[in-house]
Amino acid sequence: MPASPLLPSLDSPHRRKGEQTAERILDAAEALFAERGYAGTSLRDVAARVELRIPSLYNHFPSKDALYAAVLARGIGPVLELLAGFAAAPSESRDAGAVIERVMAILRRHRNLPKLIQHETLAGGPRLTPMLREWIAPVFGRAGEMAETAPGAGRWAPEQLPLVVIAVYNVLVGFFTFAPLYQALNGDDLLTDARLDHQTRILREVVAALFPEVPIER
Amino acid sequence: MPASPLLPSLDSPHRRKGEQTAERILDAAEALFAERGYAGTSLRDVAARVELRIPSLYNHFPSKDALYAAVLARGIGPVLELLAGFAAAPSESRDAGAVIERVMAILRRHRNLPKLIQHETLAGGPRLTPMLREWIAPVFGRAGEMAETAPGAGRWAPEQLPLVVIAVYNVLVGFFTFAPLYQALNGDDLLTDARLDHQTRILREVVAALFPEVPIER
DNA sequence: GAATAGAACTAACGCTCGTTAGTTTTTTCG
DNA sequence: CGAAAAAACTAACGAGCGTTAGTTCTATTC
């Protein structure tokens, strides 16, 4: 595996032109897949958005399917790394509240991600499942231990804990995906910085209510 | 407006054949729209599922769009009625916990509904929004009053309350839509009766934690 | 600066899509 | 039963889809 010359950083202008184009394609495709789903997005739309002809896309991705997989991998990678780190950490240094805030921060920065994830979830996660298996497998392997040592272990039975975790996940992701509908209904934009701060604070309180051991810091 | 003869009940076998077919089409379309979304569902799939040729669908619905709208209206109507009733009730007889359990019961019976709603939400709710406006308008009209008299008014500021309601909504709907992915990951089916009872109970506890006034009954 | 590889292009393919026209069969009702 | 209406059918349409072949232009490298 040859090292690239002079180690050009990811956003360096010295990168090969092709890689820049590939990234622009990923950006466009991500926005469209998030907004309209896989079936609702055509390569024509993607090509138009990056101001290319359709066949040029095939110089960077071998198929629509592969493009979608690349979008998903790029988008979801950081979250999986974060969660894997959380799962691998020793019990006493596992701070659920902190992890939730960090996920929230990622979703704030990467606004396409929630819709992308939910579209994939609704499709049954055919591409997400293998990725989750690879990264999250350790979590299920240590599920028993984690259930006992997790925050809130005193309050929730081991059987209940996954359901509570799923609930928190849904609150986190659903807030972003529901926001546009909310805005269409009553005009309020929930995704402003101020509102997002608010939501983060509420999330903390809810998590605190669910896991009594997690201290509330403001 | 002529009354139908002998007032045939909705599931009576004496109904006109055409209406039966229309309902079978709605059933098939609902399942497919829920599973694959609007763009991912073709009229060919729908026709095949009801064992008809495609043009026959047009004897009952004028377009794919109209079929989708009919599916959505039929599916979401009962929930909107329930919520409208809740919103119209006087403050003192408004029991958030009870309404949540009744919504949960509807979703349990009508398994396509959560995915249908989330697909529509992800699409920005172009068809859901008008329906919600019509049924839910009173809620926003009395939003100020409700914020003051709602359960949990003591705990949550008026600004926070909508966010908390959205969170509960997401937990409710997201549980059903996330279940298939969860099953793909570790084999457990969350949608068995026993698990659903469990989830309902947890939901009660969570709501109790969020709205201290709502008593926990088991 | 010439050779080479990469990335853009034009043109067109086979297929599926939603929809329509026109015809035949089935159901409804006096 | 017989007429009329409803609902099924066959056939075909134009448009859009993902994808491929083949060509021209452009960036990379010695």
Side-chain angles (χ1 to χ4, degrees), chain B residues 5 8 14 22 32 58 61 64 101 110 138 141 150 157 190 198 201 216:
Chain B
H14 303 98
L32 289 167
Y58 285 84
F61 304 94
K64 181 186 180 183
E101 283 200 18
H110 204 146
L190 295 180
H198 226 130
R201 209 150 55 232
I216 302 178

Side-chain angles (χ1 to χ4, degrees), chain B residues 18 21 53 55-56 59-60:
Chain B
T21 308
R53 308 291 169 244
S56 301
N59 285 324
H60 303 274

Side-chain angles (χ1 to χ4, degrees), chain A residues 50-164:
Chain A
V50 284
E51 293 181 305
L52 285 179
R53 309 291 170 244
I54 310 164
S56 300
L57 303 180
Y58 285 84
N59 284 324
H60 303 274
F61 304 95
S63 68
K64 181 186 180 184
D65 218 78
L67 173 57
Y68 177 72
V71 165
L72 204 60
R74 187 185 69 155
I76 228 161
V79 180
L80 290 185
E81 282 181 42
L82 179 62
L83 294 182
F86 174 75
S91 313
E92 61 274 14
S93 68
R94 248 188 263 129
D95 180 351
V99 138
I100 286 168
E101 284 200 17
R102 286 175 65 183
V103 172
M104 183 84 181
I106 291 178
L107 298 184
R108 271 177 90 150
R109 232 178 305 116
H110 204 145
R111 294 289 168 90
N112 291 325
L113 204 43
K115 288 192 173 185
L116 208 56
I117 293 175
Q118 274 207 351
H119 266 124
E120 178 66 12
T121 302
L122 284 173
R127 270 162 277 251
L128 193 55
T129 306
M131 298 173 64
L132 286 174
R133 263 193 224 292
E134 187 179 340
W135 289 88
I136 301 294
V139 180
F140 286 108
R142 301 168 54 213
E145 172 211 340
M146 287 193 68
E148 287 166 17
T149 62
R155 161 139 197 184
W156 304 103
E159 278 186 341
Q160 292 178 315
L161 204 54
L163 301 185
V164 178

Side-chain angles (χ1 to χ4, degrees), chain A residues 168-181:
Chain A
V168 172
Y169 159 84
N170 280 317
V171 171
L172 208 52
V173 173
F175 176 74
F176 286 89
T177 56
F178 190 78
L181 184 57

Side-chain angles (χ1 to χ4, degrees), chain B residues 25-89:
Chain B
I25 294 173
L26 283 174
D27 290 341
E30 181 184 281
L32 289 167
F33 283 138
E35 208 56 48
R36 315 179 187 172
Y38 181 82
T41 299
S42 74
L43 293 183
R44 279 159 179 80
D45 297 336
V46 177
R49 202 178 257 235
V50 284
E51 293 180 306
L52 284 179
R53 308 291 169 244
I54 310 164
S56 301
L57 303 179
Y58 285 84
N59 285 324
H60 303 274
F61 304 94
S63 68
K64 181 186 180 183
D65 219 78
L67 173 58
Y68 177 72
V71 164
L72 204 60
R74 187 185 69 155
I76 228 159
V79 180
L80 291 185
E81 283 181 41
L82 179 62
L83 294 182
F86 174 75

